Amino acid sequence: MPATANMSALLRSVRLLKFSPSGLLQITATKRNRPPLGRLYSGALGGSRTGFCSRQIRPLSGNVCSRVGPYAVGCVHNYSIASEQRDETSVAVRTKQGLQFDWALTKLDSSVRRTGRITKTLLLRIFHDICRTGYPNSNQALLLLRSCGSLLPEVPPQERTELAHHVWEKLLELGAQYDVSHYNALLKVYLQNDFKFSPTDFLAKMENANIQPNRVTYQRLITAYCQNGDIEGASTILGFMKSSDLPITEAVFNSLVTGHARAGDIESAKNILTVMQGAGIEPGPETYLSLLTIYAEGGDLDSLKKTLEAAESSDCSLMDKDLMQIIFTLAKAGYQQHIPEMVERFRHERGYIPDAMNLCLSLITHGLEDTAFYILKTFPVLQTDGFNSDVPALGSFFLRHCINRGTPVEKIGSFCKELQQSNLHSEPLTFSLYCALEAKKTGISLQLMKILKEQDFPIRAHYFWPLFAQYMKDHNTAGVMEIVKAMQELDVTLNVETLSNYIIPVFPSTDAAQTALKDVGVSMESKGILSSEIRSLAHDNLAKLYTRLSDPSFPSLELINFRGSTIMAFKRSSDVETMVKITELLFTDERFHKESTSPPEGTSYFLYSLIDSMEMEVQAQEGKLRKYFNQLQTRNIVISPNIYRGIKNLLESYQVPELIKDVKALVDTKEKWWSSDSVASPRAIGYTNTKVLLARLAELKANNKPLNILLKQTLQNLCAEENLQSALELKQEYEDKMTAGSYAMLINMCCRHNNVEEALSLKREMSRKDSSVALDASKYIALITTLSSNGKVDEAVDILKEMKEKEVVLTDANMSTLFHGLNSLVTSGGAPTIKKLQDTIFSIGLAKPSASLCSPLVTAYLDSKDISGALDAVLECQKLYNRLPRIHDIIVGLVEQGDTALLQKAMDFVSQTRGEMTMLYDLFFAFLQTGRYREARKIIETPGLRARPGRLHWFAEKCISANQMEALEQMVDMTAKLFECDRDEMYSYILRICKDTNNWQKAEATWTKMQEENVIPRERTLRLLANILKSNGQEVPFEVPESWYEQDFKPEINFRIESATDYQIEMLALCKKGKVKEAFEIMKKANKSGLKINSATCDHLIRALLAAGSIEDAMVVKNIATSYLPHFKLSDNANNLLIITHTKKGQTKEALQKLKYMLQKDQVPSQLTVIRVVQALANHGDLEGIQEVESLMKGLNTTLNLSSMLFIHNMALAHIKNDNLDSALEMLEAVYTSPDSTSPSMSYLFRKVLEDGNDKALDKLSAMAERLANHFACYRPASDLFIQLLDMDKVEDAKFMLARCNALAEQKDVLISYMSHKAQIPGQIGKIKTLQSLIPDFAEKDILYSYMMKCHAVDKDLPAAKALYELMQKDGLVNDLSLKRLAKLYHDAGEEAPFPEPPESFSFYVEQLKEKAAKAKMTEEK
């Protein structure tokens, strides 16, 4: 205590000690103990420099705790006192929870190391993540506090300090334990941010918190006094440090240099260097920098030069970053004229670019953009923002920050002009506009658009969408109209997307929107307005649409503007007459087509698009379409052969070949209107006149010339024309020239024409010529269907066996075709035929049994009203293949027949095989569908029955698609008391039918029922209901979802809670906003008030608390609920969340215990829960725990689709954690060397080992993988390791591994799978390029190019896609899918593609490539 007493006496003295170099500083010298790293890691520019310090210096027994001088401008703000009495959590929780955020904290550290700065967005994201855990640890708090200083150059100092205070308060509130290092970090932030505070008050806060200051604390307090020129205050602390035998380091002397200078005593400041030498401390770079900074503040260039020379002569060479600090000081002091002198001294050291960027950002933050721009132009190399290094983009960061800081547009324009003229940035103005739009800065964006407009840059409507979006959110009609006015000033046309998506939705009705637009001068005859009107009419009334379009006064409007909405209307409508009238109008009226497109051509494509969009709806609407096509023919409407072929292909894929003849009747045989040069250049449209081809064939035959290609083309034409007779005659004439492909075409056409004898004859003839030739799967299936439907079942079975012998691979598309083929035999072949084919397909292994492939047999019995036979077929399917096809329809049939004996038999069987609950639901749905609601209610009220969301959703969707409102309403009503039934979901199904039928009265009644039942609606449900009411001009009786839960809750001001319902609504709203702590407080308040919150709300709150990591609070809520709800228990979701939360906190024993508890209560854990438990046990090396979980899972009655390697991988990982590598390797090798091994993936294990940095384990596993590859030809482990190394940017390691195991380059499946995965994620093109560089001779280069093009499409990178297209052309590897993607990129960029866009859909070309790959693989295997 002597030191404390002495210090107190010193502080109570009347006059304070005057600093004297000959007095206080005669101390025992200490060498400079700060390592060079301190200078390199002092953060970005923009704050005062302070030296490096360690976390913890020895504690002191005394404090500086009184006011030392009268200088303080501010105080230490309201940061709270941190005491040691807030430790409310267990040691286990606090030691484990930090692991959750290692990745985020590493990201912060990585950002600082790479760039010397971090972004506020990243910092806040990590801060919020830490807050959500509820238990921030000391290290996390320290890192966050340290990040609130000069590491944020893009944030003003005042805002950085406010952020630091917010972090301090919030983490303290969450239980963070602060020590002296945290107070020192806060001091450092104050110094870097030039924050004015009272050192005395700061020390008092520390004393009240029972925190002892250390040497670093005193050093930084001295710096604080010196920054304000208060030498007396600094002297007092310095004297205390001397009396306490604390070492006086270089950092103290550096501060005193600053202090004397700012007190106006430059000579004393300079004399500090002499005093240091006298004390045995040589002045270092930091000392000289302190002196240089003072000269820079006064603009003393001569002294700057002399001091720089003195520093160099003393071997204290200043780094570029030190010079940047001087430049920053000169700029802030207004002496920009001296900056060139300092810039000339730059040596452009390593790290110059990030340091200079931080200098520029700090200067801009302080409003010194001109100086920042001068520094920008000194950058030694061009910085590019993309993969194309030929495109300069220097200064993008500069322009972005200028925009964010609100720099005047005139100044930004001048910067952009100079950058472009100097060829430093290719498109600075457009990039600035992009940044302004991204930042939602309306004024700057519009001014930049005006500048671009003056430079003849095209301003497009979608540029304004981000500006509209912010006004849409607030329903600000005035703001929206201001943007519309700006668009008019810039001569930008309001297109239909802008009107439909951003303008009209802001207004209460379309009429109100049109009135407002008319008031600001928007023409009601514009394309956008007209398109919106037509789309609206198409949605509401086809007859009105025709009346409007056929009006002679209606202006020209291209079909493309309303084609989609018209197609949707055609699909929904049953008014064929009006559909035909509209089509005829489009066919004859040139107002709806481009000048380059004739009306017939545009209408043909409209018909193709109609069929393309319908997919499986074609089967359901076959009668309507046939009537439609027939009426079109009577109106003399024709289509081109090319369009006919496209429609024919679609109808074949939809399994509706009967419509092809009706479409063919529309083909114009004259071939005049769609191509004026069809005779001169027939291949221009891909279709040549058959007569011309036949004549040419005869000529070639007469001259004895090769005619194979021409023969094939002629046959193709005849097949396209469905001219079977002529095709067969041609085949007869040129039989010796027929190829396998030609036979395949003829066989397929015979099948379409149901000419079974000729098809079979052609097949046999083809086999005689070459028995090894195989048809493709789709043609085989068509032949089997035709044979079977004509009674030739044995021949069809032979064809199936041939498919198996020739190893014909059935894709998913082929499986669908096979199903439709079997289904088509229901009427023609009957059950015996289908059963024989089905048995053959499954017995020979041509296809795996599935519910869809089993269902045609059941359908045949149901179609013939043989319910008993259908039931027997289903029972056999279940026994043989574990499938229950169409069981619902069978039960419905039995209920309708009233056959109680068979119904009982069916129910007993379902109960035995699928469980009693499944049986009850099947019976419930059958009673609902047949209108037996009384019986249905009895079923659903069975004691112990609980909600099965998947089953309820299935039946609801069935009702919605069939528009069965009554059955759906009954289901919703009956399930009101069903345990765990999601009532909001139930009512949303009714609202969906109301929306489809536009029945607002029913919707309004549904809303009333929801209130009666006290249902808390979700956001989407409210939106749906509001949309129904608004579209019918009705008042919405509630606030729209955008505002009802987002507004801050202030009960003492504007909301009073009076009932349990009010508490429940508010708790759910707070949970929605992520404010679970506030919701928890309301729960406790309700409990104190004696109000009983319902079980659903309690469960919701428990789940929200668990998601936030608050297990203890969640258990409090559970205890409250059970106090008045004795039977309350956690739902499945809550139990799963509880277990997962335990695993996240490292509480594996608790997690395992809860898992066993769930199973004991007959609750089934989710797949994710089991995975997380096993992984957590593995991370703790708990091998026995993993084995116990595996045993529990085997005892389950249901499968969770867990990976076969889940337990093996994690047991191996547990062995590794226990340093038992030999056991791990033995286990893994046993799996991969087994004769029955399927070579499963090892990616997870490799990734975990790499993430843990366990080099010893990695070496052993790597050796094992190479051994398996080289000795057992098992390449999967080595391939997985190679991919993981590549994915984690360990390129050199991947390269070495490839050199040791060359066969990895041939593992196409693994490599292609990796590329496929990466191509779906933005910004991953670099990974694929790295793979390409490692394996430059990758065999499947066409696949590689396809995935690279997909990457460019995902990244919306048109320039890179263009370059890739040129490379693909050069290598001759262009495919339709890549062309389709590239064409879309051109279209999105507003450019025209230099090639014709492939006409089919993306899915069509994807399937095409899949089939090609499958055939190639089959060929390889042969």
Side-chain angles (χ1 to χ4, degrees):
M1 294 301 293
T4 305
N6 291 339
M7 190 62 194
S8 300
L10 181 64
L11 292 173
R12 286 194 299 269
S13 63
V14 177
R15 294 293 299 167
L16 301 172
L17 283 172
K18 187 75 174 178
F19 175 78
S20 170
S22 62
L24 281 171
L25 293 180
Q26 291 179 0
I27 59 176
T28 304
T30 60
K31 294 294 182 182
R32 254 186 310 125
N33 57 3
R34 177 175 49 78
L37 180 62
R39 296 177 60 234
L40 294 171
Y41 198 74
S42 58
L45 295 167
S48 303
R49 299 175 66 98
T50 56
F52 172 85
C53 70
S54 63
R55 270 286 311 276
Q56 182 73 39
I57 313 295
R58 63 187 179 90
L60 301 177
S61 58
N63 292 326
V64 180
C65 56
S66 299
R67 177 71 181 99
V68 185
Y71 89 89
V73 177
C75 63
V76 188
H77 197 67
N78 284 333
Y79 67 86
S80 301
I81 297 171
S83 84
E84 296 179 358
Q85 300 174 359
R86 295 183 56 90
D87 190 4
E88 300 172 353
T89 57
S90 68
V91 175
V93 171
R94 299 185 66 82
T95 55
K96 298 295 182 182
Q97 50 85 24
L99 296 174
Q100 300 174 50
F101 300 99
D102 283 349
W103 68 270
L105 304 182
T106 301
K107 194 173 181 67
L108 266 184
D109 184 60
S110 172
S111 179
V112 172
R113 291 179 186 277
R114 287 185 300 104
T115 66
R117 68 181 182 275
I118 58 177
T119 64
K120 184 179 178 181
T121 302
L122 175 62
L123 181 62
L124 288 176
R125 176 187 171 193
I126 295 173
F127 171 57
H128 292 146
D129 282 346
I130 290 174
C131 289
R132 275 197 291 271
T133 67
Y135 306 112
N137 64 31
S138 178
N139 287 334
Q140 293 168 348
L142 192 60
L143 181 58
L144 288 173
L145 288 170
R146 286 176 174 173
S147 301
C148 295
S150 57
L151 291 176
L152 294 170
E154 297 170 272
V155 182
Q158 182 181 355
E159 190 178 332
R160 299 193 309 229
T161 306
E162 291 172 356
L163 178 60
H165 288 150
H166 176 61
V167 169
W168 182 281
E169 295 284 353
K170 186 64 178 176
L171 296 185
L172 188 62
E173 176 188 328
L174 294 173
Q177 299 296 304
Y178 290 157
D179 56 33
V180 67
S181 63
H182 296 88
Y183 284 90
N184 290 340
L186 188 60
L187 270 177
K188 179 77 172 286
V189 169
Y190 285 168
L191 296 174
Q192 290 178 340
N193 295 343
D194 291 324
F195 178 67
K196 305 299 182 183
F197 68 101
S198 167
T200 307
D201 292 347
F202 192 92
L203 283 170
K205 295 285 187 182
M206 291 183 68
E207 187 176 18
N208 292 338
N210 199 26
I211 301 294
Q212 291 289 331
N214 62 14
R215 178 175 60 83
V216 176
T217 312
Y218 293 127
Q219 285 179 182
R220 291 183 179 172
L221 289 173
I222 289 173
T223 302
Y225 280 120
C226 290
Q227 279 187 352
N228 292 276
D230 188 348
I231 292 298
E232 291 182 346
S235 301
T236 303
I237 297 180
L238 192 60
F240 178 74
M241 291 181 69
K242 178 185 175 185
S243 65
S244 302
D245 294 328
L246 294 175
I248 309 300
T249 62
E250 181 191 357
V252 175
F253 288 105
N254 297 341
S255 298
L256 294 172
V257 170
T258 302
H260 277 291
R262 290 189 175 169
D265 190 355
I266 295 293
E267 289 303 317
S268 293
K270 290 192 289 186
N271 287 339
I272 293 294
L273 276 70
T274 305
V275 174
M276 290 176 68
Q277 291 170 337
I281 300 176
E282 287 298 323
E286 293 286 350
T287 308
Y288 284 103
L289 182 58
S290 298
L291 193 56
L292 287 164
T293 301
I294 294 302
Y295 291 139
E297 289 176 353
D300 189 348
L301 183 60
D302 292 336
S303 296
L304 278 171
K305 291 180 180 179
K306 291 177 183 178
T307 306
L308 284 168
E309 291 169 2
E312 290 176 4
S313 63
S314 302
D315 292 331
C316 290
S317 179
L318 296 179
M319 300 169 63
D320 283 348
K321 190 169 185 178
D322 299 326
L323 296 174
M324 290 177 192
Q325 180 66 39
I326 298 169
I327 290 172
F328 183 70
T329 304
L330 285 168
K332 283 205 301 181
Y335 298 106
Q336 284 85 352
Q337 68 272 21
H338 300 325
I339 291 177
E341 184 78 25
M342 297 296 107
V343 170
E344 289 177 2
R345 297 177 180 269
F346 283 153
R347 290 178 296 186
H348 300 294
E349 301 158 334
R350 182 179 180 182
Y352 169 82
I353 292 297
D355 288 340
M357 289 174 70
N358 292 334
L359 172 60
C360 291
L361 292 172
S362 295
L363 288 167
I364 296 169
T365 300
H366 286 77
L368 301 168
E369 299 89 355
D370 294 323
T371 306
F373 190 66
Y374 176 78
I375 299 297
L376 176 68
K377 292 187 291 184
T378 67
F379 281 28
V381 293
L382 293 180
Q383 302 299 299
T384 58
D385 290 352
F387 295 109
N388 188 355
S389 58
D390 297 331
V391 179
L394 176 66
S396 291
F397 78 96
F398 174 89
L399 295 172
R400 183 187 296 275
H401 195 41
C402 283
I403 293 293
N404 290 337
R405 296 303 306 163
T407 302
V409 175
E410 296 75 15
K411 188 173 284 189
I412 294 174
S414 66
F415 292 152
C416 292
K417 182 177 181 181
E418 189 168 346
L419 284 171
Q420 193 156 22
Q421 289 177 347
S422 305
N423 198 31
L424 298 176
H425 198 297
S426 59
E427 297 175 334
L429 267 176
T430 53
F431 180 79
S432 299
L433 175 59
Y434 166 77
C435 295
L437 292 170
E438 186 180 47
K440 305 287 193 302
K441 292 187 176 290
T442 304
I444 295 177
S445 299
L446 295 178
Q447 291 181 65
L448 287 172
M449 288 184 197
K450 289 178 182 177
I451 296 174
L452 286 166
K453 181 74 173 179
E454 292 169 0
Q455 297 181 7
D456 296 327
F457 184 86
I459 306 298
R460 307 189 188 281
H462 65 267
Y463 294 176
F464 296 85
W465 292 355
L467 305 180
F468 279 122
Q470 61 180 329
Y471 293 124
M472 277 186 67
K473 185 177 180 182
D474 301 328
H475 294 281
N476 186 343
T477 55
V480 168
M481 296 318 297
E482 286 300 318
I483 302 298
V484 172
K485 291 177 186 176
M487 292 180 72
Q488 289 182 295
E489 292 174 8
L490 292 166
D491 296 327
V492 179
T493 304
L494 283 171
N495 59 21
V496 66
E497 288 80 10
T498 306
L499 283 162
S500 301
N501 299 332
Y502 295 96
I503 297 178
I504 293 177
V506 181
F507 292 87
S509 66
T510 304
D511 292 338
Q514 290 183 349
T515 301
L517 290 168
K518 192 173 183 180
D519 290 342
V520 297
V522 176
S523 171
M524 293 296 103
E525 301 297 318
S526 67
K527 183 196 295 184
I529 296 291
L530 290 172
S531 299
S532 298
E533 179 189 359
I534 294 302
R535 288 185 178 187
S536 177
L537 288 173
H539 182 270
D540 296 334
N541 193 310
L542 268 185
K544 290 183 179 178
L545 173 64
Y546 173 71
T547 303
R548 184 74 174 104
L549 290 175
S550 59
D551 188 344
S553 63
F554 186 79
S556 297
L557 182 66
E558 292 176 12
L559 174 59
I560 193 172
N561 291 295
F562 58 94
R563 182 172 61 205
S565 55
T566 307
I567 286 173
M568 288 298 295
F570 275 29
K571 287 162 64 177
R572 290 195 304 264
S573 177
S574 58
D575 186 358
V576 177
E577 191 68 32
T578 305
M579 289 167 57
V580 172
K581 288 180 181 178
I582 292 173
T583 309
E584 183 180 24
L585 183 65
L586 297 176
F587 186 82
T588 57
D589 201 324
E590 295 183 354
R591 291 178 298 170
F592 307 113
H593 304 278
K594 296 179 181 178
E595 293 181 1
S596 59
T597 305
S598 66
E601 185 178 359
T603 308
S604 291
Y605 190 70
F606 171 80
L607 291 174
Y608 173 83
S609 301
L610 172 63
I611 301 300
D612 186 34
S613 69
M614 294 184 75
E615 297 186 359
M616 295 309 169
E617 294 177 56
V618 172
Q619 292 183 356
Q621 300 190 30
E622 182 179 348
K624 183 181 83 173
L625 288 173
R626 179 173 289 107
K627 183 178 178 182
Y628 173 60
F629 289 139
N630 291 339
Q631 289 195 29
L632 290 180
Q633 184 185 10
T634 62
R635 305 284 181 110
N636 295 320
I637 294 171
V638 294
I639 60 175
S640 71
N642 223 22
I643 292 294
Y644 160 69
R645 290 170 64 186
I647 295 176
K648 180 173 75 73
N649 291 338
L650 290 174
L651 292 175
E652 286 178 349
S653 67
Y654 300 155
Q655 297 299 312
V656 193
E658 293 82 4
L659 276 177
I660 293 176
K661 296 176 182 178
D662 299 292
V663 178
K664 184 178 182 296
L666 299 176
V667 177
D668 184 7
T669 56
K670 297 179 181 178
E671 296 184 3
K672 293 180 180 179
W673 52 268
W674 63 82
S675 178
S676 58
D677 58 346
S678 60
V679 177
S681 180
R683 298 185 69 86
I685 60 167
Y687 186 85
T688 308
N689 189 291
T690 307
K691 291 181 180 178
V692 174
L693 290 175
L694 288 169
R696 180 64 178 153
L697 263 178
E699 181 181 346
L700 291 175
K701 183 179 180 181
N703 295 325
N704 200 23
K705 291 183 179 181
L707 44 75
N708 288 354
I709 296 176
L710 195 61
L711 176 61
K712 182 180 179 181
Q713 187 179 359
T714 308
L715 281 171
Q716 285 176 338
N717 275 27
L718 290 170
C719 290
E721 296 170 359
E722 298 295 336
N723 192 338
L724 177 59
Q725 189 60 38
S726 298
L728 291 173
E729 289 172 2
L730 187 67
K731 172 257 172 189
Q732 194 69 28
E733 184 177 356
Y734 298 94
E735 188 168 346
D736 57 329
K737 303 294 183 183
M738 290 286 289
T739 62
S742 300
Y743 276 110
M745 284 189 289
L746 285 176
I747 291 170
N748 208 32
M749 184 161 62
C750 288
C751 291
R752 289 200 301 273
H753 286 255
N754 201 29
N755 191 335
V756 64
E757 296 297 337
E758 197 63 52
L760 193 56
S761 174
L762 289 167
K763 174 65 180 67
R764 289 168 178 167
E765 189 174 327
M766 183 186 77
S767 298
R768 282 197 302 272
K769 283 193 173 185
D770 188 351
S771 59
S772 65
V773 173
L775 298 172
D776 63 51
S778 62
K779 292 182 174 61
Y780 266 129
I781 294 169
L783 180 58
I784 291 165
T785 304
T786 304
L787 290 170
S788 302
S789 62
N790 287 276
K792 296 184 178 295
V793 184
D794 292 335
E795 288 82 351
V797 169
D798 292 337
I799 297 295
L800 285 171
K801 293 177 180 178
E802 179 182 325
M803 290 175 69
K804 180 63 178 177
E805 290 170 1
K806 294 185 177 180
E807 298 179 350
V808 176
V809 178
L810 295 182
T811 64
D812 290 343
N814 297 142
M815 290 293 190
S816 177
T817 306
L818 181 59
F819 159 74
H820 289 296
L822 292 173
N823 225 27
S824 67
L825 298 175
V826 168
T827 55
S828 57
T833 298
I834 297 174
K835 186 174 187 333
K836 189 169 185 178
L837 293 175
Q838 178 183 290
D839 291 345
T840 304
I841 291 168
F842 296 153
S843 63
I844 66 176
L846 186 62
K848 291 182 179 180
S850 65
S852 61
L853 289 180
C854 291
S855 64
L857 177 59
V858 181
T859 303
Y861 285 111
L862 290 175
D863 194 61
S864 61
K865 306 300 181 183
D866 185 0
I867 307 296
S868 176
L871 178 60
D872 291 339
V874 167
L875 299 185
E876 186 177 6
C877 280
Q878 173 62 30
K879 291 175 183 176
L880 295 176
Y881 313 122
N882 195 29
R883 297 287 184 270
L884 281 175
R886 299 199 64 178
I887 188 65
H888 171 74
D889 298 313
I890 292 173
I891 297 172
V892 168
L894 291 172
V895 171
E896 288 176 337
Q897 283 187 355
D899 193 335
T900 55
L902 277 181
L903 182 61
Q904 186 64 50
K905 177 183 177 182
M907 291 298 93
D908 289 343
F909 185 82
V910 173
S911 180
Q912 291 169 8
T913 56
R914 297 297 173 91
E916 185 178 0
M917 192 175 291
T918 300
M919 178 270 291
L920 290 172
Y921 269 101
D922 287 336
L923 198 54
F924 172 60
F925 294 141
F927 284 140
L928 281 175
Q929 186 164 329
T930 56
R932 290 167 170 79
Y933 302 128
R934 184 178 177 183
E935 291 84 351
R937 186 176 294 277
K938 289 180 181 179
I939 294 294
I940 206 63
E941 290 177 354
T942 301
L945 192 63
R946 63 194 306 167
R948 279 199 170 179
R951 299 298 310 275
L952 295 171
H953 176 78
W954 169 81
F955 188 75
E957 290 292 342
K958 186 179 179 68
C959 291
I960 292 170
S961 62
N963 195 21
Q964 295 174 342
M965 173 65 86
E966 184 181 1
L968 182 58
E969 272 191 302
Q970 289 290 337
M971 183 184 78
V972 173
D973 181 61
M974 292 176 192
T975 54
K977 296 182 180 180
L978 183 63
F979 183 66
E980 290 188 340
C981 181
D982 188 335
R983 302 305 296 155
D984 170 76
E985 186 76 6
M986 291 291 103
Y987 281 108
S988 72
Y989 295 138
I990 295 180
L991 292 176
R992 282 175 56 189
I993 289 192
C994 293
K995 180 174 170 52
D996 291 343
T997 57
N998 204 30
N999 189 343
W1000 68 266
Q1001 293 91 344
K1002 178 66 73 174
E1004 194 174 52
T1006 301
W1007 172 242
T1008 304
K1009 285 184 180 180
M1010 292 176 71
Q1011 295 174 80
E1012 291 173 353
E1013 196 176 321
N1014 203 22
V1015 174
I1016 307 299
R1018 290 189 180 91
E1019 175 183 315
R1020 63 176 185 185
T1021 306
L1022 289 173
R1023 281 205 182 102
L1024 178 60
L1025 179 56
N1027 181 269
I1028 296 170
L1029 295 175
K1030 283 182 179 178
S1031 62
N1032 286 279
Q1034 302 300 311
E1035 183 180 353
V1036 179
F1038 52 82
E1039 290 183 298
V1040 288
E1042 290 78 6
S1043 59
W1044 78 271
Y1045 69 82
E1046 292 175 353
Q1047 294 177 349
D1048 290 335
F1049 174 56
K1050 299 178 181 179
E1052 68 276 10
I1053 297 174
N1054 54 15
F1055 189 74
R1056 183 181 175 191
I1057 294 178
E1058 295 180 344
S1059 66
T1061 302
D1062 295 330
Y1063 275 95
Q1064 287 162 191
I1065 293 173
E1066 190 51 32
M1067 286 166 63
L1068 291 170
L1070 288 169
C1071 289
K1072 184 77 173 179
K1073 293 161 60 178
K1075 297 183 177 181
V1076 291
K1077 290 290 184 182
E1078 291 87 337
F1080 176 57
E1081 292 301 321
I1082 291 178
M1083 178 70 186
K1084 292 194 291 185
K1085 183 179 177 182
N1087 186 47
K1088 288 180 181 178
S1089 302
L1091 296 175
K1092 297 179 179 179
I1093 304 301
N1094 64 26
S1095 60
T1097 305
C1098 291
D1099 190 79
H1100 191 102
L1101 177 57
I1102 289 171
R1103 284 185 279 124
L1105 287 165
L1106 290 172
S1110 302
I1111 294 179
E1112 292 79 5
D1113 291 346
M1115 293 302 99
V1116 170
V1117 175
K1118 180 188 175 187
N1119 293 335
I1120 292 173
T1122 52
S1123 67
Y1124 58 85
L1125 296 171
H1127 300 294
F1128 176 84
K1129 65 177 182 178
L1130 297 183
S1131 64
D1132 285 3
N1133 287 340
N1135 270 320
N1136 284 317
L1137 267 173
L1138 177 59
I1139 295 170
I1140 291 172
T1141 306
H1142 278 307
T1143 63
K1144 285 182 177 180
K1145 292 178 177 291
Q1147 300 166 347
T1148 53
K1149 291 183 179 178
E1150 292 84 346
L1152 183 54
Q1153 182 182 355
K1154 293 294 182 184
L1155 178 65
K1156 290 190 286 187
Y1157 176 80
M1158 275 191 78
L1159 295 172
Q1160 288 170 3
K1161 296 297 181 181
D1162 291 330
Q1163 290 181 316
V1164 180
S1166 69
Q1167 182 192 67
L1168 179 63
T1169 301
V1170 177
I1171 291 172
R1172 289 290 180 266
V1173 171
V1174 173
Q1175 290 174 344
L1177 291 168
N1179 286 332
H1180 285 74
D1182 190 347
L1183 187 64
E1184 292 180 1
I1186 298 173
Q1187 291 170 341
E1188 185 176 2
V1189 175
E1190 184 179 20
S1191 176
L1192 290 171
M1193 291 304 103
K1194 288 179 179 177
L1196 275 181
N1197 293 327
T1198 181
T1199 175
L1200 296 180
N1201 293 323
L1202 296 171
S1203 167
S1204 60
M1205 294 297 288
L1206 172 66
F1207 296 103
I1208 293 174
H1209 277 157
N1210 283 284
M1211 282 192 279
L1213 188 59
H1215 280 307
I1216 292 171
K1217 291 285 184 180
N1218 296 327
D1219 202 22
N1220 189 359
L1221 288 173
D1222 292 337
S1223 296
L1225 294 176
E1226 182 180 350
M1227 176 188 295
L1228 293 169
E1229 285 189 343
V1231 171
Y1232 287 95
T1233 57
S1234 169
D1236 300 325
S1237 174
T1238 57
S1239 295
S1241 172
M1242 269 185 70
S1243 296
Y1244 171 78
L1245 186 58
F1246 285 132
R1247 185 170 67 253
K1248 293 296 292 184
V1249 172
L1250 284 166
E1251 287 174 353
D1252 293 341
N1254 191 338
D1255 293 334
K1256 180 181 176 182
L1258 182 61
D1259 291 341
K1260 292 274 190 179
L1261 289 170
S1262 178
M1264 181 200 74
E1266 291 179 27
R1267 186 165 60 253
L1268 289 171
N1270 296 328
H1271 296 170
F1272 297 90
C1274 177
Y1275 298 106
R1276 186 57 189 265
S1279 301
D1280 289 337
L1281 178 55
F1282 172 75
I1283 290 298
Q1284 288 302 313
L1285 291 170
L1286 185 65
D1287 199 42
M1288 299 182 77
D1289 294 324
K1290 296 180 180 293
V1291 180
E1292 289 302 317
D1293 293 341
K1295 186 184 298 183
F1296 290 142
M1297 184 163 190
L1298 189 61
R1300 292 194 300 271
C1301 189
N1302 295 327
L1304 293 180
E1306 301 171 6
Q1307 306 309 305
K1308 291 186 295 184
D1309 289 347
V1310 175
L1311 299 176
I1312 291 173
S1313 176
Y1314 176 72
M1315 289 189 291
S1316 174
H1317 173 66
K1318 290 299 168 186
Q1320 299 174 37
I1321 307 170
Q1324 295 298 307
I1325 182 66
K1327 296 286 176 68
I1328 296 181
K1329 286 186 174 181
T1330 302
L1331 178 61
Q1332 183 187 22
S1333 67
L1334 292 177
I1335 310 177
D1337 55 346
F1338 185 69
E1340 307 291 336
K1341 191 167 283 189
D1342 55 339
I1343 297 177
L1344 173 68
Y1345 285 158
S1346 293
Y1347 284 124
M1348 290 177 72
M1349 183 63 78
K1350 185 175 181 180
C1351 281
H1352 295 320
V1354 170
D1355 293 338
K1356 301 187 185 305
D1357 190 350
L1358 179 58
K1362 289 179 180 177
L1364 178 61
Y1365 175 58
E1366 292 177 1
L1367 184 61
M1368 293 172 76
Q1369 284 183 309
K1370 181 180 177 182
D1371 293 343
L1373 296 173
V1374 180
N1375 58 59
D1376 288 337
L1377 181 59
S1378 295
L1379 283 178
K1380 188 80 174 176
R1381 288 191 172 119
L1382 183 55
K1384 187 176 187 303
L1385 281 175
Y1386 271 106
H1387 175 73
D1388 291 345
E1391 300 181 27
E1392 186 175 352
F1395 51 82
E1397 180 180 350
E1400 304 289 350
S1401 63
F1402 278 101
S1403 57
F1404 174 86
Y1405 296 117
V1406 169
E1407 289 298 327
Q1408 195 178 64
L1409 281 181
K1410 283 182 180 178
E1411 290 181 8
K1412 179 182 176 183
K1415 289 179 181 177
K1417 186 174 182 179
M1418 186 170 62
T1419 305
E1420 269 185 13
E1421 292 172 353
K1422 287 182 179 180

